[in-house]
Amino acid sequence: MSTHEVFNQAIQPTGLNPAQYPPIAEALARAGASARFEEVRAAGELGASAAALELGDLAEEHPPVLKTFDRYGHRIDEVVYDPAYHQLMRHATDLGLHGAAWADPEPHPHLARAAKFLTWGQADAGHMCPISMTYAVVPALRHNPELAAQYEPQLTARGYDPVLAPMASKRSLLAGMSMTEKQGGSDVRANTTRAVLQPDGSYRITGHKWFTSAPMCDFFLTLAQTDAGVTCFFIPRVLPDGTRNTFRLQRLKDKLGNHSNASSEVEYDNTVGWLVGEEGRGVPTIIEMVNMTRLDCALASATLMRVGLQQALVHASQRKAFGAYLIDQPLMRNVLADLATEAEGATTTTLWLADLTDRAVSGDEHAATLRRIGLAVSKYYICKRGPAFAAEALECLGGNGYVEESRMPRLYREAPLPSVWEGSGNVAALDVLRAMAKQPQTLTVFLDDVKQATGSDKNLDRAIASLESQFGDFDTLQYRARSVIGMMAKVLQGSLLVRYGNSAVADAYTSTRLGGDWGDVFGALPTGIDTGTIIDRATLKETA
């Protein structure tokens, strides 16, 4: 008799294409972009493949290594990555997830890119950092038209060229951002790095940066002080004459997650840089890059949610306990439907923001204003929901979810990062207040948009009325920022789901997040919710 018979183990399939996830195709159709779905389907097929997932595993298991000197003692400041990382980067750039959207001649380039981000991103999160920064750098770099004209064609070119060489000789480029200093963190106005103008129009920059991710990018936008104040600069790794710029990598950070991506401390010592934007206007200049990467933070959290949900659904559909499949147990159905509701709200909102990006880039001022406040609100809330979601999805697998082989621990470690990156929770919440203070019409635009669903759902109507009452006492608004911005985010998601989403999902969302006594954990949906429709909608189907 066998002593080791394997049964009642849920087998996670590969090849479940996330492009099947209904909110993705629905968002494309809503924007008139259904013609771009085939690109999204192809990205999802690749991202969900066993080969891509294995690349992600290898890149995670073999993190980058810093090589400060070569064997002869020459300072080289290079980072060596696992070959899997380079293959992931090659796929991502071939898919156009970096800067390609800015040169894409087809309609809806930013929405199509966001949808592909959601479907490819499950392969590995770490390599998406330089991809995101390269996407985001373009509008900021345009503050120096000469640099933009010279390098934008290579930033938008598909393909991956990892060789550290003069940029003019390369077929494609990657860009990074180097802002944070140890004494200031998000308070970049406290930066001490200095820049001194040279007779040839360049600047010499001296200082230390505490976090610089993806240090093997070809160039970085950085902040440094001049006599006029904080200023934005363009710093290449290799100078036009082929010599290495002074870009000393002091160490790589030993991080909680995001292991495939190198994050470093950088020392500038008389480093050559060129001005981007006006002196003293560095923060408004680089914020144009930050506001693009913040969209990717929200997309990353939405991707994380969908991947965790998929694993939980597959496990629950195959695993039996107490005489029935988990997915048929009422309490587990409550948990799964609640997770599915959260994931759909996040996905719908991020794709709505990507569509607004297309419209804003095309010159639609109303869309730009709505995106400005909607992105700040959503970056705060969606990214803040990621860790709780990852923990609950992991728990759906029980002890199996706590084992590295399930990939759920990696998801759990990754979950806090989008909230920390590009301004942690407080910074993101305060950014909403800053937007309303500088442009009072942003709140009106926001409320007018969510009110398009007025009369369709009583919980939403009450929540909008309650939200409007929160802005009277401006003296305490900063203290109350998290609760107010969280309410704004939930009202926005509820309104979008009521207007555009599945009615069962919208009902679950508004009756819990906007009404009733939902509680503080997933799995507290009230009776009467159509959990069957919600779960079926979120379940990816195997295709022949």
Side-chain angles (χ1 to χ4, degrees), residues 102-124:
W102 298 101
D104 188 339
E106 299 300 320
H108 314 286
H110 297 279
L111 176 58
R113 176 199 176 264
K116 288 187 286 186
F117 186 111
L118 289 168
T119 56
W120 164 256
Q122 72 183 56
D124 169 71

PDB file of all heavy atoms in Angstrom, residues 102-124:
ATOM      1  N   TRP A 102       4.143  56.994 -26.255  1.00  0.00           N
ATOM      2  CA  TRP A 102       4.260  58.401 -26.638  1.00  0.00           C
ATOM      3  C   TRP A 102       4.484  58.584 -28.136  1.00  0.00           C
ATOM      4  O   TRP A 102       4.342  59.706 -28.652  1.00  0.00           O
ATOM      5  CB  TRP A 102       5.395  59.049 -25.856  1.00  0.00           C
ATOM      6  CG  TRP A 102       5.140  59.030 -24.383  1.00  0.00           C
ATOM      7  CD1 TRP A 102       5.668  58.163 -23.467  1.00  0.00           C
ATOM      8  CD2 TRP A 102       4.270  59.898 -23.651  1.00  0.00           C
ATOM      9  NE1 TRP A 102       5.180  58.438 -22.208  1.00  0.00           N
ATOM     10  CE2 TRP A 102       4.322  59.502 -22.289  1.00  0.00           C
ATOM     11  CE3 TRP A 102       3.459  60.981 -24.004  1.00  0.00           C
ATOM     12  CZ2 TRP A 102       3.590  60.146 -21.297  1.00  0.00           C
ATOM     13  CZ3 TRP A 102       2.721  61.627 -23.018  1.00  0.00           C
ATOM     14  CH2 TRP A 102       2.788  61.210 -21.683  1.00  0.00           C
ATOM     15  N   ALA A 103       4.841  57.508 -28.830  1.00  0.00           N
ATOM     16  CA  ALA A 103       5.034  57.589 -30.279  1.00  0.00           C
ATOM     17  C   ALA A 103       4.067  56.673 -31.027  1.00  0.00           C
ATOM     18  O   ALA A 103       4.187  56.519 -32.243  1.00  0.00           O
ATOM     19  CB  ALA A 103       6.479  57.227 -30.636  1.00  0.00           C
ATOM     20  N   ASP A 104       3.136  56.084 -30.311  1.00  0.00           N
ATOM     21  CA  ASP A 104       2.188  55.135 -30.905  1.00  0.00           C
ATOM     22  C   ASP A 104       1.200  55.896 -31.797  1.00  0.00           C
ATOM     23  O   ASP A 104       0.461  56.754 -31.316  1.00  0.00           O
ATOM     24  CB  ASP A 104       1.442  54.414 -29.775  1.00  0.00           C
ATOM     25  CG  ASP A 104       0.580  53.268 -30.282  1.00  0.00           C
ATOM     26  OD1 ASP A 104       0.238  53.255 -31.481  1.00  0.00           O
ATOM     27  OD2 ASP A 104       0.227  52.395 -29.468  1.00  0.00           O
ATOM     28  N   PRO A 105       1.165  55.594 -33.098  1.00  0.00           N
ATOM     29  CA  PRO A 105       0.278  56.340 -33.995  1.00  0.00           C
ATOM     30  C   PRO A 105      -1.185  55.921 -33.913  1.00  0.00           C
ATOM     31  O   PRO A 105      -2.070  56.627 -34.419  1.00  0.00           O
ATOM     32  CB  PRO A 105       0.854  56.025 -35.377  1.00  0.00           C
ATOM     33  CG  PRO A 105       1.443  54.656 -35.222  1.00  0.00           C
ATOM     34  CD  PRO A 105       1.985  54.600 -33.816  1.00  0.00           C
ATOM     35  N   GLU A 106      -1.452  54.769 -33.291  1.00  0.00           N
ATOM     36  CA  GLU A 106      -2.820  54.281 -33.209  1.00  0.00           C
ATOM     37  C   GLU A 106      -3.574  54.976 -32.074  1.00  0.00           C
ATOM     38  O   GLU A 106      -2.970  55.456 -31.115  1.00  0.00           O
ATOM     39  CB  GLU A 106      -2.820  52.765 -32.980  1.00  0.00           C
ATOM     40  CG  GLU A 106      -2.160  51.969 -34.091  1.00  0.00           C
ATOM     41  CD  GLU A 106      -2.840  52.176 -35.429  1.00  0.00           C
ATOM     42  OE1 GLU A 106      -4.094  52.229 -35.456  1.00  0.00           O
ATOM     43  OE2 GLU A 106      -2.145  52.307 -36.441  1.00  0.00           O
ATOM     44  N   PRO A 107      -4.903  55.043 -32.154  1.00  0.00           N
ATOM     45  CA  PRO A 107      -5.685  55.683 -31.083  1.00  0.00           C
ATOM     46  C   PRO A 107      -5.552  54.931 -29.753  1.00  0.00           C
ATOM     47  O   PRO A 107      -5.265  53.732 -29.729  1.00  0.00           O
ATOM     48  CB  PRO A 107      -7.128  55.625 -31.611  1.00  0.00           C
ATOM     49  CG  PRO A 107      -7.006  55.402 -33.081  1.00  0.00           C
ATOM     50  CD  PRO A 107      -5.751  54.604 -33.278  1.00  0.00           C
ATOM     51  N   HIS A 108      -5.739  55.645 -28.677  1.00  0.00           N
ATOM     52  CA  HIS A 108      -5.787  55.105 -27.312  1.00  0.00           C
ATOM     53  C   HIS A 108      -4.482  54.426 -26.879  1.00  0.00           C
ATOM     54  O   HIS A 108      -4.501  53.349 -26.274  1.00  0.00           O
ATOM     55  CB  HIS A 108      -6.951  54.114 -27.168  1.00  0.00           C
ATOM     56  CG  HIS A 108      -8.239  54.598 -27.742  1.00  0.00           C
ATOM     57  ND1 HIS A 108      -9.004  55.564 -27.128  1.00  0.00           N
ATOM     58  CD2 HIS A 108      -8.897  54.255 -28.890  1.00  0.00           C
ATOM     59  CE1 HIS A 108     -10.084  55.791 -27.873  1.00  0.00           C
ATOM     60  NE2 HIS A 108     -10.042  55.022 -28.945  1.00  0.00           N
ATOM     61  N   PRO A 109      -3.340  55.032 -27.131  1.00  0.00           N
ATOM     62  CA  PRO A 109      -2.089  54.354 -26.791  1.00  0.00           C
ATOM     63  C   PRO A 109      -1.883  54.137 -25.301  1.00  0.00           C
ATOM     64  O   PRO A 109      -1.336  53.107 -24.896  1.00  0.00           O
ATOM     65  CB  PRO A 109      -1.014  55.286 -27.368  1.00  0.00           C
ATOM     66  CG  PRO A 109      -1.662  56.631 -27.420  1.00  0.00           C
ATOM     67  CD  PRO A 109      -3.094  56.352 -27.755  1.00  0.00           C
ATOM     68  N   HIS A 110      -2.293  55.086 -24.463  1.00  0.00           N
ATOM     69  CA  HIS A 110      -2.044  54.955 -23.026  1.00  0.00           C
ATOM     70  C   HIS A 110      -3.006  53.959 -22.383  1.00  0.00           C
ATOM     71  O   HIS A 110      -2.619  53.224 -21.464  1.00  0.00           O
ATOM     72  CB  HIS A 110      -2.129  56.326 -22.359  1.00  0.00           C
ATOM     73  CG  HIS A 110      -1.080  57.270 -22.847  1.00  0.00           C
ATOM     74  ND1 HIS A 110       0.206  57.266 -22.379  1.00  0.00           N
ATOM     75  CD2 HIS A 110      -1.123  58.234 -23.816  1.00  0.00           C
ATOM     76  CE1 HIS A 110       0.918  58.185 -23.016  1.00  0.00           C
ATOM     77  NE2 HIS A 110       0.136  58.781 -23.894  1.00  0.00           N
ATOM     78  N   LEU A 111      -4.227  53.901 -22.871  1.00  0.00           N
ATOM     79  CA  LEU A 111      -5.160  52.898 -22.376  1.00  0.00           C
ATOM     80  C   LEU A 111      -4.707  51.500 -22.784  1.00  0.00           C
ATOM     81  O   LEU A 111      -4.737  50.557 -21.975  1.00  0.00           O
ATOM     82  CB  LEU A 111      -6.569  53.174 -22.907  1.00  0.00           C
ATOM     83  CG  LEU A 111      -7.648  52.152 -22.551  1.00  0.00           C
ATOM     84  CD1 LEU A 111      -7.787  51.991 -21.044  1.00  0.00           C
ATOM     85  CD2 LEU A 111      -8.986  52.537 -23.183  1.00  0.00           C
ATOM     86  N   ALA A 112      -4.289  51.346 -24.027  1.00  0.00           N
ATOM     87  CA  ALA A 112      -3.809  50.039 -24.481  1.00  0.00           C
ATOM     88  C   ALA A 112      -2.596  49.606 -23.686  1.00  0.00           C
ATOM     89  O   ALA A 112      -2.471  48.439 -23.294  1.00  0.00           O
ATOM     90  CB  ALA A 112      -3.480  50.089 -25.976  1.00  0.00           C
ATOM     91  N   ARG A 113      -1.686  50.536 -23.420  1.00  0.00           N
ATOM     92  CA  ARG A 113      -0.511  50.205 -22.618  1.00  0.00           C
ATOM     93  C   ARG A 113      -0.910  49.770 -21.213  1.00  0.00           C
ATOM     94  O   ARG A 113      -0.378  48.794 -20.673  1.00  0.00           O
ATOM     95  CB  ARG A 113       0.424  51.408 -22.536  1.00  0.00           C
ATOM     96  CG  ARG A 113       1.617  51.152 -21.621  1.00  0.00           C
ATOM     97  CD  ARG A 113       2.289  52.425 -21.158  1.00  0.00           C
ATOM     98  NE  ARG A 113       3.355  52.086 -20.213  1.00  0.00           N
ATOM     99  CZ  ARG A 113       3.218  52.093 -18.893  1.00  0.00           C
ATOM    100  NH1 ARG A 113       2.067  52.426 -18.342  1.00  0.00           N
ATOM    101  NH2 ARG A 113       4.232  51.762 -18.112  1.00  0.00           N
ATOM    102  N   ALA A 114      -1.846  50.483 -20.597  1.00  0.00           N
ATOM    103  CA  ALA A 114      -2.278  50.130 -19.242  1.00  0.00           C
ATOM    104  C   ALA A 114      -2.888  48.738 -19.209  1.00  0.00           C
ATOM    105  O   ALA A 114      -2.640  47.955 -18.280  1.00  0.00           O
ATOM    106  CB  ALA A 114      -3.277  51.162 -18.728  1.00  0.00           C
ATOM    107  N   ALA A 115      -3.694  48.412 -20.213  1.00  0.00           N
ATOM    108  CA  ALA A 115      -4.303  47.083 -20.262  1.00  0.00           C
ATOM    109  C   ALA A 115      -3.235  46.002 -20.422  1.00  0.00           C
ATOM    110  O   ALA A 115      -3.318  44.937 -19.807  1.00  0.00           O
ATOM    111  CB  ALA A 115      -5.318  47.019 -21.401  1.00  0.00           C
ATOM    112  N   LYS A 116      -2.222  46.280 -21.227  1.00  0.00           N
ATOM    113  CA  LYS A 116      -1.133  45.310 -21.383  1.00  0.00           C
ATOM    114  C   LYS A 116      -0.312  45.200 -20.105  1.00  0.00           C
ATOM    115  O   LYS A 116       0.161  44.114 -19.749  1.00  0.00           O
ATOM    116  CB  LYS A 116      -0.249  45.701 -22.568  1.00  0.00           C
ATOM    117  CG  LYS A 116      -0.904  45.468 -23.925  1.00  0.00           C
ATOM    118  CD  LYS A 116       0.047  45.691 -25.078  1.00  0.00           C
ATOM    119  CE  LYS A 116       0.334  47.147 -25.326  1.00  0.00           C
ATOM    120  NZ  LYS A 116       1.155  47.367 -26.554  1.00  0.00           N
ATOM    121  N   PHE A 117      -0.135  46.316 -19.411  1.00  0.00           N
ATOM    122  CA  PHE A 117       0.556  46.303 -18.124  1.00  0.00           C
ATOM    123  C   PHE A 117      -0.157  45.353 -17.164  1.00  0.00           C
ATOM    124  O   PHE A 117       0.479  44.548 -16.467  1.00  0.00           O
ATOM    125  CB  PHE A 117       0.564  47.731 -17.568  1.00  0.00           C
ATOM    126  CG  PHE A 117       1.365  47.935 -16.308  1.00  0.00           C
ATOM    127  CD1 PHE A 117       2.532  48.684 -16.335  1.00  0.00           C
ATOM    128  CD2 PHE A 117       0.955  47.418 -15.094  1.00  0.00           C
ATOM    129  CE1 PHE A 117       3.269  48.901 -15.186  1.00  0.00           C
ATOM    130  CE2 PHE A 117       1.680  47.624 -13.931  1.00  0.00           C
ATOM    131  CZ  PHE A 117       2.840  48.358 -13.977  1.00  0.00           C
ATOM    132  N   LEU A 118      -1.484  45.421 -17.121  1.00  0.00           N
ATOM    133  CA  LEU A 118      -2.264  44.571 -16.220  1.00  0.00           C
ATOM    134  C   LEU A 118      -2.126  43.092 -16.558  1.00  0.00           C
ATOM    135  O   LEU A 118      -2.223  42.235 -15.660  1.00  0.00           O
ATOM    136  CB  LEU A 118      -3.746  44.957 -16.282  1.00  0.00           C
ATOM    137  CG  LEU A 118      -4.142  46.298 -15.645  1.00  0.00           C
ATOM    138  CD1 LEU A 118      -5.568  46.655 -16.045  1.00  0.00           C
ATOM    139  CD2 LEU A 118      -4.026  46.239 -14.134  1.00  0.00           C
ATOM    140  N   THR A 119      -1.901  42.778 -17.819  1.00  0.00           N
ATOM    141  CA  THR A 119      -1.867  41.371 -18.231  1.00  0.00           C
ATOM    142  C   THR A 119      -0.458  40.791 -18.244  1.00  0.00           C
ATOM    143  O   THR A 119      -0.274  39.611 -17.973  1.00  0.00           O
ATOM    144  CB  THR A 119      -2.513  41.186 -19.615  1.00  0.00           C
ATOM    145  OG1 THR A 119      -1.862  42.042 -20.559  1.00  0.00           O
ATOM    146  CG2 THR A 119      -3.991  41.535 -19.585  1.00  0.00           C
ATOM    147  N   TRP A 120       0.532  41.617 -18.568  1.00  0.00           N
ATOM    148  CA  TRP A 120       1.918  41.139 -18.557  1.00  0.00           C
ATOM    149  C   TRP A 120       2.514  41.172 -17.156  1.00  0.00           C
ATOM    150  O   TRP A 120       3.352  40.347 -16.791  1.00  0.00           O
ATOM    151  CB  TRP A 120       2.791  41.971 -19.505  1.00  0.00           C
ATOM    152  CG  TRP A 120       4.269  41.798 -19.256  1.00  0.00           C
ATOM    153  CD1 TRP A 120       5.107  42.672 -18.621  1.00  0.00           C
ATOM    154  CD2 TRP A 120       5.075  40.657 -19.577  1.00  0.00           C
ATOM    155  NE1 TRP A 120       6.383  42.170 -18.545  1.00  0.00           N
ATOM    156  CE2 TRP A 120       6.386  40.919 -19.125  1.00  0.00           C
ATOM    157  CE3 TRP A 120       4.815  39.435 -20.201  1.00  0.00           C
ATOM    158  CZ2 TRP A 120       7.441  40.022 -19.281  1.00  0.00           C
ATOM    159  CZ3 TRP A 120       5.861  38.526 -20.357  1.00  0.00           C
ATOM    160  CH2 TRP A 120       7.142  38.818 -19.908  1.00  0.00           C
ATOM    161  N   GLY A 121       2.099  42.114 -16.326  1.00  0.00           N
ATOM    162  CA  GLY A 121       2.769  42.401 -15.070  1.00  0.00           C
ATOM    163  C   GLY A 121       2.840  41.266 -14.080  1.00  0.00           C
ATOM    164  O   GLY A 121       3.628  41.313 -13.128  1.00  0.00           O
ATOM    165  N   GLN A 122       2.020  40.229 -14.254  1.00  0.00           N
ATOM    166  CA  GLN A 122       2.042  39.133 -13.290  1.00  0.00           C
ATOM    167  C   GLN A 122       3.318  38.297 -13.384  1.00  0.00           C
ATOM    168  O   GLN A 122       3.658  37.571 -12.452  1.00  0.00           O
ATOM    169  CB  GLN A 122       0.830  38.229 -13.494  1.00  0.00           C
ATOM    170  CG  GLN A 122       0.848  37.358 -14.739  1.00  0.00           C
ATOM    171  CD  GLN A 122      -0.441  36.557 -14.865  1.00  0.00           C
ATOM    172  OE1 GLN A 122      -1.531  37.100 -14.872  1.00  0.00           O
ATOM    173  NE2 GLN A 122      -0.302  35.244 -14.945  1.00  0.00           N
ATOM    174  N   ALA A 123       4.056  38.418 -14.485  1.00  0.00           N
ATOM    175  CA  ALA A 123       5.265  37.614 -14.641  1.00  0.00           C
ATOM    176  C   ALA A 123       6.315  37.985 -13.597  1.00  0.00           C
ATOM    177  O   ALA A 123       6.966  37.111 -13.014  1.00  0.00           O
ATOM    178  CB  ALA A 123       5.830  37.781 -16.053  1.00  0.00           C
ATOM    179  N   ASP A 124       6.481  39.277 -13.360  1.00  0.00           N
ATOM    180  CA  ASP A 124       7.468  39.758 -12.387  1.00  0.00           C
ATOM    181  C   ASP A 124       7.236  41.239 -12.179  1.00  0.00           C
ATOM    182  O   ASP A 124       7.051  41.984 -13.145  1.00  0.00           O
ATOM    183  CB  ASP A 124       8.892  39.523 -12.898  1.00  0.00           C
ATOM    184  CG  ASP A 124       9.933  40.237 -12.058  1.00  0.00           C
ATOM    185  OD1 ASP A 124      10.163  39.800 -10.907  1.00  0.00           O
ATOM    186  OD2 ASP A 124      10.500  41.233 -12.540  1.00  0.00           O
TER     187      ASP A 124
END
